Amino acid sequence: MQIKYQAIILGGGQKAGSMLFPLCQSYSKSLLPVCNKPMILYQLDVLEIAGFGPQDILILLTKDHQAVADLVQRRAEIFYVSDDSDSGSALLEAHEKIKKDFILLSCDSMIGANILDLLDFHYSKKATITCLIKEEDLDKKQGRAPISCNLDESYDIMFIGSDHSLLHITNQEDDDQANLSISRNVLLSCESVQIMTNLFDTHIYVCQYEVLELFQKLNKLENEIQNWKLEFLPYIVKHQKNVNLLNLLSKQEQGLFHERKQQQFSIKVFITQEYARRLNNIKDYQQANYESMIKGNKGIQLYQGVQDSQIQIQYPQDARISPDSIIGEGTRIGNKVNIQRSIIGKNCTIGDHVKISNSIIMKNVVINSNCIIQHCILSNESAVGHTTELNKCNLGNLASVEPNQKIVDECII
């Protein structure tokens, strides 16, 4: 199967993962495990199922994320960008590697939607840019998306035309949202307009190649337009009927796409109710891991392959492990251990009389005897001393907690 698109994955730089502190203090966001599997591998799985091969996938990384490159080097091409790159500037640095229309993904966007359906929609609508948008069920009492899904401020207010056009986008935490405005030309471009407040931008976009050239030109003309999601996308949505913007887009150099005549700028939304979650904060990272433990018809199809391949771990008969918990290979569990609704990584050591609930324990973690761990995330190679209680705590890599402690709601590095 020949793919007409390239896939560009933003694999993370120095700025990535700041909202996941302390989990990404010295660790790439791309490698954070969901159900004991690095999140970037889910991205690659989804693309490969859609027919993308290693030659079709380009991952943008800074050089301090070499561990990511080592993990995926046979499944994608790696391009190293500057240490201070963000989403937009990284894309511009890699422009010579991008040869055709492309799909842009963030490494922390977890989706169960069919990529081929998205690409077919983009092609059939002759869209310049198509945004993959997740629709959440509305809270009927409040008329808005429930806070329990993604963080409330992550939802966008969108004006969507009858032809699936994106006419306006505003984040709910935007200071200027009290004065929403949309140009008359944009409003008149559609027969009807729907205002929706239960939509979540997955940070996955399908783009014509010309969009990259437009981004380059705008970056030179407007110095502040460097970030793709926060600056470039709102700018072109707002000015999509502006003659000057259309002129910039139509002035193509002779080359691979010189025969394509751009008649108009068309930004479309492909709305899905399939699984989609962006794991760029602690709450959503925890939620995705909990969702991955659901088995059966209500489980997330994306994760079922991970659950099916779980190796049966031998543990003492007096240990109590709930069916919705996941135990990694090589983990040793002591006597009278109680684990409820938690994920335990590979090669961990759990001492006697330990109680773990609603927690994520990454690999090579040591929890000594008589500890209670509740609602916590313990990063790789962290350690907890005996008779310690942790509640709503997050431990960074190599972090350690002394014995006989009782700690609530702390980040420990």
Side-chain angles (χ1 to χ4, degrees):
M1 178 179 178
Q2 185 176 5
I3 290 292
K4 298 179 180 179
Y5 298 86
Q6 276 183 277
I8 316 298
I9 300 178
L10 301 171
Q14 286 186 341
K15 299 178 182 179
S18 58
M19 294 179 66
L20 285 159
F21 180 85
L23 309 184
C24 293
Q25 182 194 17
S26 57
Y27 195 67
S28 173
K29 178 167 64 172
S30 298
L31 298 180
L32 283 181
V34 176
C35 199
N36 287 339
K37 177 178 174 179
M39 67 169 69
I40 197 168
L41 296 186
Y42 291 106
Q43 298 269 331
L44 294 176
D45 288 348
V46 167
L47 291 170
E48 289 169 3
I49 289 171
F52 286 80
Q55 72 281 357
D56 304 312
I57 303 172
L58 182 66
I59 300 178
L60 309 185
L61 297 169
T62 56
K63 290 185 177 179
D64 58 344
H65 289 70
Q66 185 59 41
V68 181
D70 294 341
L71 177 66
V72 303
Q73 59 183 339
R74 294 184 180 181
R75 300 178 65 179
E77 182 180 359
I78 305 298
F79 183 85
Y80 293 102
V81 298
S82 302
D83 290 343
D84 59 349
S85 296
D86 59 21
S87 58
S89 55
L91 197 62
L92 293 178
E93 288 184 45
H95 74 277
E96 293 184 356
K97 288 287 186 179
I98 303 172
K99 306 296 185 182
K100 51 188 175 181
D101 295 355
F102 59 94
I103 178 171
L104 181 66
L105 310 93
S106 295
C107 67
D108 56 9
S109 294
M110 305 291 289
I111 59 168
N114 190 327
I115 290 293
L116 289 179
D117 290 344
L118 171 64
L119 298 179
D120 289 344
F121 174 90
H122 174 78
Y123 180 80
S124 65
K125 295 294 182 181
K126 297 181 173 60
T128 311
I129 296 177
T130 298
C131 308
L132 177 61
I133 302 298
K134 164 68 173 176
E135 181 179 13
E136 297 282 12
D137 292 332
L138 281 174
D139 183 327
K140 294 182 180 180
K141 293 182 179 180
Q142 298 188 18
R144 64 173 186 170
I147 295 176
S148 60
C149 297
N150 294 281
L151 287 180
D152 191 38
E153 59 266 24
S154 296
Y155 285 91
D156 294 303
I157 300 170
M158 297 187 188
F159 289 37
I160 298 176
S162 52
D163 60 349
H164 301 278
S165 292
L166 178 59
L167 307 179
H168 182 84
I169 181 170
T170 303
N171 192 279
Q172 290 196 14
E173 63 181 354
D174 194 326
D175 292 336
D176 297 327
Q177 65 174 301
N179 299 307
L180 294 177
S181 63
I182 181 170
S183 73
R184 182 173 179 271
N185 288 340
V186 171
L187 280 176
L188 293 177
S189 65
C190 293
E191 293 181 1
S192 61
V193 178
Q194 184 177 13
I195 301 175
M196 302 183 70
T197 61
N198 62 326
L199 301 180
F200 173 71
D201 185 355
T202 66
H203 287 232
I204 296 176
Y205 314 97
V206 186
C207 305
Q208 291 184 2
Y209 178 82
E210 287 88 347
V211 172
L212 181 59
E213 296 184 334
L214 176 63
F215 191 20
Q216 288 177 298
K217 293 175 182 178
L218 285 176
N219 183 258
K220 292 178 181 179
L221 294 174
E222 306 280 351
N223 292 329
E224 71 275 9
I225 299 180
Q226 297 183 22
N227 184 285
W228 179 278
K229 161 64 178 177
L230 299 179
E231 296 164 354
F232 177 66
L233 185 63
Y235 183 90
I236 60 174
V237 170
K238 182 178 180 180
H239 298 281
Q240 58 186 288
K241 299 300 178 183
N242 186 291
V243 174
N244 293 328
L245 182 69
L246 296 176
N247 286 340
L248 278 178
L249 188 66
S250 63
K251 292 177 181 177
Q252 303 295 331
E253 299 178 0
Q254 295 297 310
L256 182 62
F257 290 89
H258 72 276
E259 73 281 357
R260 180 189 287 165
K261 295 182 180 179
Q262 185 70 38
Q263 301 295 328
Q264 60 181 350
F265 200 91
S266 175
I267 308 171
K268 302 293 186 181
V269 291
F270 179 80
I271 300 177
T272 181
Q273 293 184 335
E274 299 295 326
Y275 183 81
R277 185 179 293 279
R278 188 153 185 249
L279 314 187
N280 64 336
N281 59 71
I282 294 289
K283 181 179 178 180
D284 282 339
Y285 175 70
Q286 287 176 313
Q287 188 63 28
N289 274 277
Y290 296 150
E291 288 163 344
S292 74
M293 292 185 282
I294 301 173
K295 300 179 181 180
N297 294 332
K298 294 183 179 180
I300 301 167
Q301 186 176 2
L302 183 67
Y303 303 118
Q304 294 305 308
V306 179
Q307 295 178 349
D308 294 342
S309 64
Q310 284 293 307
I311 298 173
Q312 292 297 319
I313 305 298
Q314 297 295 323
Y315 47 82
Q317 291 184 352
D318 58 5
R320 297 175 58 190
I321 315 293
S322 69
D324 57 358
S325 292
I326 305 293
I327 310 296
E329 182 182 3
T331 287
R332 293 174 294 174
I333 295 177
N335 296 312
K336 296 187 177 180
V337 167
N338 189 331
I339 299 176
Q340 303 293 321
R341 195 173 178 251
S342 296
I343 296 176
I344 313 296
K346 295 181 179 181
N347 302 314
C348 293
T349 300
I350 313 297
D352 297 337
H353 302 277
V354 168
K355 295 181 180 179
I356 301 173
S357 62
N358 298 296
S359 295
I360 302 164
I361 313 298
M362 298 185 193
K363 62 184 180 181
N364 301 318
V365 173
V366 176
I367 302 176
N368 285 283
S369 60
N370 299 298
C371 289
I372 299 176
I373 312 294
Q374 297 176 301
H375 307 285
C376 294
I377 303 177
L378 276 56
S379 297
N380 296 334
E381 301 182 46
S382 55
V384 180
H386 63 80
T387 322
T388 287
E389 296 184 24
L390 299 179
N391 189 359
K392 298 181 181 179
C393 292
N394 299 320
L395 274 62
N397 289 344
L398 300 171
S400 62
V401 180
E402 295 295 322
N404 304 304
Q405 302 293 309
K406 189 171 183 179
I407 305 174
V408 178
D409 201 14
E410 292 281 350
C411 288
I412 302 170
I413 60 175

